[in-house]
Amino acid sequence: MRLTRYFLPVLKETPAEAQIVSHRLMLRAGMIRQSSAGIYSWLPMGYAVLRRIEEIVHQEQQRAGAIPVLMPTIQPADLWRQSGRYDAYGPEMLRIKDRHERDMLYGPTNEEMITEIFKAYCGSYRDVPKMLYHIQWKFRDEIRPRFGVMRGREFLMKDGYSFDVDHAAAIHSYNQMMAAYLRTFERMGLKAVPMKAESGPIGGDHAHEFLILAETGESGVFLDRTVVDLSLGGTAIDFDDRAQLQDIFDRWTAPYARTDDTHDEALFHSMVPEDRRVEARGIEVGHIFYFGTKYSEPLQALVTTPEGEKVPVHGGSYGIGVSRLVGALIEANHDDKGIIWPESVTPFAVGLVNLKQGDAAVDAACEDLYAKLAAAGLTVLYDDTDERAGAKFATMELIGLPWRLTVGPRGLKSGVVELACRRTGASEELSPDAAVAKLRAIYTGL
RNA sequence: CGGGGCGUAGCGCAGCCUGGUAGCGCGUCGGUUUUGGGUACCGAAGGCCGCGAGUUCGAAUCUCGCCGCCCCGACCA
């Protein structure tokens, strides 16, 4: 993409309304534009990151055996009356009427709807286990939206739902999602720690929240340092292997890790030696829980067992805050100059900077690199504007592309370009072809 | 929803107390200059001063009402 043809409305100054760093940087980098309180348009740069995050979530969900669907944003109120949540949900739920005065709502979540779908088609133990998920916009009319996309009213969420014949099978589904989430967040370069959670308004008991540690986190967290160092690394996971998944579950949930909602100071001290105790702040980016028959009973989602008995299915629900992750990633990856995208979610693999637009040799070298990078399968943002070097560098640093390839007359005289790493600030001079090869190597396997 | 603050050019702000036909910086456009870290200078465009009512000869400024946004708190992916 050529910057002269792109839409990248960067801001030199920080808009007054933005308080936290991710919100400020998203506005300055031209990623989002506020429409009203807690509701945003996603501009090209922001949308690109959002789609990359979505793609990772899709891949890891399906790897774990979940099946993608797409349910509507607008739901009929009757469905929620059946589960009893129409009245229970409160003013957070946006209630609307259609032209026939029928009560509708903009869905804050989809348990009722997915249960209704399951019930319509699945009635036998042979139909389970099933794990369905979708990535869809939700609306919760928060009293006070804030922090940009981290706490918006409209937000993009992955929510998945498991259906199993009994408790033991449901726990396996739960463990599948636990492993899928660990993989998902690791791929994004995030340290997300599963923490024991309260069941919350949805009910149930087997529940964990995934939090990434960040100074601006909304929750206080208390944890054993050892859990932060756990990593799946290249572990091959067989999602049908109950023992392996149970082992992963055990390893990640054994160390003490809780938010201030569930924190138990005495237990914390008894379980964790002082030198391993960490008190920090965290941002919740995912939530998994087993809720048993909470929805299947009132909605009469039953399956027949091999013995011919009809039993309510055991359900679990698994959320990832996809749009929130954009903000959370920035909270975890930035410096005083701007954003630093991990390679796995960056909107462009590399920024190509032409230091002397209009100079025949430099233009030609840039065009050549632009074509070769594209041929190597890399996405490129080519700054072909006639801005000065300082302005171009500042913009590249602000928008956070992980690698910058700088081409100028000075280096070109000796046949080199500069490849700079956004995260470390390190740079090296090498031939254009070597730069392409190095970038290709960096991005291989992501 | 309780408490506080703010709505003036695309963005950041001054002007309001003490009414008199709207200003600064950045950005944008044109020109000169500069050319490896947000260059300097010259010129220009751009605003029913959030909306409505009132007071007044006259309202960005005073009064009342409404709307929107932000911050603290309770609530949440």
Side-chain angles (χ1 to χ4, degrees):
Chain A
M1 178 60 66
R2 290 167 200 276
L3 188 53
T4 50
R5 297 182 192 170
Y6 199 47
F7 183 64
L8 182 67
V10 297
L11 268 31
K12 205 166 187 175
E13 290 173 277
T14 302
E17 74 265 19
Q19 297 298 311
I20 65 167
V21 65
S22 62
H23 190 192
R24 282 201 295 266
L25 289 174
M26 287 183 78
L27 291 170
R28 288 196 52 210
M31 294 176 66
I32 52 170
R33 177 172 177 81
Q34 181 168 325
S35 168
S36 58
I39 301 177
Y40 295 85
S41 289
W42 292 77
L43 306 182
M45 186 69 71
Y47 187 42
V49 175
L50 189 66
R51 289 202 315 264
R52 298 216 61 193
I53 293 171
E54 258 189 286
E55 187 53 33
I56 291 175
V57 172
H58 270 300
Q59 288 172 3
E60 294 303 327
Q61 285 295 296
Q62 291 173 48
R63 185 194 302 273
I67 306 161
V69 296
L70 186 59
M71 291 178 274
T73 54
I74 306 291
Q75 305 182 24
D78 281 348
L79 195 55
W80 286 68
R81 292 201 175 94
Q82 287 172 39
S83 71
R85 288 212 293 178
Y86 190 69
D87 296 322
Y89 221 94
E92 252 193 358
M93 178 186 282
L94 181 63
R95 293 149 210 267
I96 49 190
K97 280 185 193 294
D98 69 10
R99 67 193 298 161
H100 303 295
E101 292 289 305
R102 280 190 284 253
D103 290 323
M104 312 290 282
L105 57 96
Y106 196 119
T109 179
N110 287 72
E111 278 91 1
E112 282 80 358
M113 182 153 284
I114 194 77
T115 304
E116 192 276 331
I117 290 170
F118 177 85
K119 174 187 169 184
Y121 302 109
C122 302
S124 161
Y125 72 95
R126 297 176 197 275
D127 295 323
V128 296
K130 277 285 174 290
M131 179 105 67
L132 303 173
Y133 79 95
H134 74 345
I135 296 178
Q136 178 62 291
W137 292 93
K138 308 265 190 288
F139 193 91
R140 291 183 196 170
D141 199 357
E142 298 285 346
I143 295 169
R144 186 156 86 87
R146 61 186 120 171
F147 305 151
V149 300
M150 297 258 290
R151 180 80 187 281
R153 291 195 291 174
E154 187 180 53
F155 55 97
L156 187 63
M157 183 176 169
K158 188 286 294 188
D159 47 325
Y161 305 92
S162 63
F163 301 94
D164 284 284
V165 71
D166 58 25
H167 179 265
I171 294 305
H172 179 237
S173 295
Y174 187 89
N175 290 346
Q176 286 177 323
M177 282 296 114
M178 168 69 80
Y181 276 38
L182 292 172
R183 277 193 57 96
T184 300
F185 296 127
E186 273 196 31
R187 277 187 65 183
M188 294 175 192
L190 289 172
K191 277 284 178 195
V193 178
M195 303 196 187
K196 181 181 169 61
E198 284 175 356
S199 49
I202 289 173
D205 49 35
H206 214 92
H208 288 88
E209 295 176 343
F210 287 76
L211 285 96
I212 65 169
L213 306 184
E215 286 166 23
T216 47
E218 73 235 296
S219 318
V221 299
F222 305 83
L223 49 91
D224 183 336
R225 190 181 303 284
T226 57
V227 75
V228 178
D229 298 327
L230 290 173
S231 168
L232 287 170
T235 308
I237 297 176
D238 176 354
F239 282 90
D240 291 325
D241 183 339
R242 291 197 175 203
Q244 186 191 18
L245 292 184
Q246 188 61 48
D247 176 59
I248 290 171
F249 176 90
D250 291 342
R251 272 163 54 213
W252 260 271
T253 56
Y256 187 96
R258 295 192 180 191
T259 67
D260 40 22
D261 288 338
T262 54
H263 179 56
D264 180 336
E265 188 76 8
L267 186 63
F268 187 41
H269 284 236
S270 72
M271 282 181 67
V272 187
E274 188 167 5
D275 61 326
R276 294 200 335 234
R277 283 177 211 150
V278 177
E279 296 191 25
R281 303 204 64 78
I283 301 166
E284 186 185 346
V285 291
H287 199 160
I288 59 178
F289 44 97
Y290 165 67
F291 51 66
T293 59
K294 180 181 168 85
Y295 299 98
S296 56
E297 282 190 57
L299 296 173
Q300 285 293 292
L302 310 176
V303 289
T304 307
T305 66
E307 291 75 36
E309 183 189 0
K310 282 185 188 293
V311 298
V313 293
H314 286 248
S317 169
Y318 314 92
I320 290 179
V322 175
S323 50
R324 161 177 281 201
L325 268 169
V326 180
L329 276 158
I330 295 172
E331 292 293 331
N333 297 284
H334 69 273
D335 62 18
D336 57 345
K337 293 173 182 164
I339 301 166
I340 307 172
W341 292 117
E343 278 89 355
S344 56
V345 299
T346 185
F348 294 95
V350 55
L352 177 61
V353 174
N354 182 332
L355 282 184
K356 194 164 186 180
Q357 179 72 21
D359 177 292
V362 178
D363 286 353
C366 284
E367 290 296 335
D368 189 49
L369 272 167
Y370 187 52
K372 283 176 174 162
L373 288 164
L378 299 169
T379 50
V380 187
L381 182 62
Y382 172 26
D383 188 342
D384 58 340
T385 66
D386 57 5
E387 283 293 315
R388 292 174 54 86
K392 291 190 173 192
F393 292 154
T395 297
M396 281 293 172
E397 281 152 359
L398 173 63
I399 66 177
L401 305 188
W403 297 93
R404 187 188 76 210
L405 204 45
T406 307
V407 181
R410 188 189 297 171
L412 228 42
K413 277 190 184 118
S414 42
V416 296
V417 296
E418 182 204 52
L419 182 61
C421 174
R422 174 69 179 87
R423 188 173 295 275
T424 64
S427 69
E428 61 178 320
E429 297 200 321
L430 64 187
S431 74
D433 285 346
V436 173
K438 175 154 187 179
L439 283 165
R440 192 211 305 252
I442 288 167
Y443 279 97
T444 296
L446 277 179

